[in-house]
């Protein structure tokens, strides 16, 4: 099975998308040497998008940043990987769409 560590040999940071908590937990179990700061493993929280850095550190990526990274003209983002496609051996395992919708209610009050 492929490893995110292999991608990090050529990338400083990789953003990884998970379509379920179970897939994120599987990632935590299968990838060696990753960590969330000094948090012990039993305090790690699953997430939909996690940034993984070459040094093994990880951090939850805000969905706003993830969504904005798909906007036209933004080219300096890390590689975005769909983890299910990545471990499934698909040739194109990159995220080309955000998988989330942004719902904005500009000009409306909270009670409207």
């Amino acid at each position: 099975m492929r490893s995110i560590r292999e991608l990090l040999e050529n990338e400083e940071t990789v953003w990884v998308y998970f379509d379920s908590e179970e897939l994120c937990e599987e990632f935590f179990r299968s990838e060696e040497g990753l960590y969330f700061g000094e948090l012990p493993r039993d305090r790690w929280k699953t997430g939909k998008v996690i940034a993984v850095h070459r040094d093994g550190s990880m951090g939850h990526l805000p969905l706003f940043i993830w969504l904005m990274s798909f906007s036209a003209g933004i080219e300096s983002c890390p590689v975005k990987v769909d983890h299910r496609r990545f471990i499934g051996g698909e040739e194109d395992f990159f995220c080309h769409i955000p998988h989330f919708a942004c719902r904005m209610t500009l000009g409306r009050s909270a009670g409207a």
Side-chain angles (χ1 to χ4, degrees):
M1 179 169 45
R2 293 190 237 185
S3 169
I4 293 297
R5 284 287 199 183
E6 293 169 17
L7 292 177
L8 290 169
E9 291 174 6
N10 298 314
E11 304 289 338
E12 183 63 34
T13 301
V14 174
W15 289 354
V16 186
Y17 163 73
F18 303 97
D19 61 16
S20 70
E21 288 185 17
E22 294 79 20
L23 187 61
C24 188
E25 279 291 343
E26 181 181 318
F27 169 78
F28 290 160
R29 286 190 301 272
S30 66
E31 293 282 343
E32 296 288 324
L34 301 181
Y35 59 93
F36 280 104
E38 295 186 17
L39 283 177
R41 174 61 183 97
D42 65 334
R43 296 204 42 219
W44 292 7
K45 303 293 181 197
T46 58
K48 290 293 189 179
V49 183
I50 294 179
V52 184
H53 306 282
R54 186 177 289 159
D55 68 359
S57 64
M58 296 184 293
H60 291 274
L61 189 71
L63 288 182
F64 175 76
I65 301 298
W66 175 257
L67 289 168
M68 293 304 297
S69 74
F70 288 89
S71 297
I74 298 179
E75 300 175 11
S76 61
C77 292
V79 171
K80 297 177 246 184
V81 174
D82 180 319
H83 197 257
R84 186 163 308 279
R85 292 188 349 222
F86 182 72
I87 63 172
E90 293 186 30
E91 188 174 321
D92 182 7
F93 53 80
F94 299 105
C95 287
H96 301 286
I97 59 170
H99 300 287
F100 302 98
C102 181
R103 296 180 192 192
M104 298 182 67
T105 56
L106 297 176
R108 292 186 171 181
S109 66

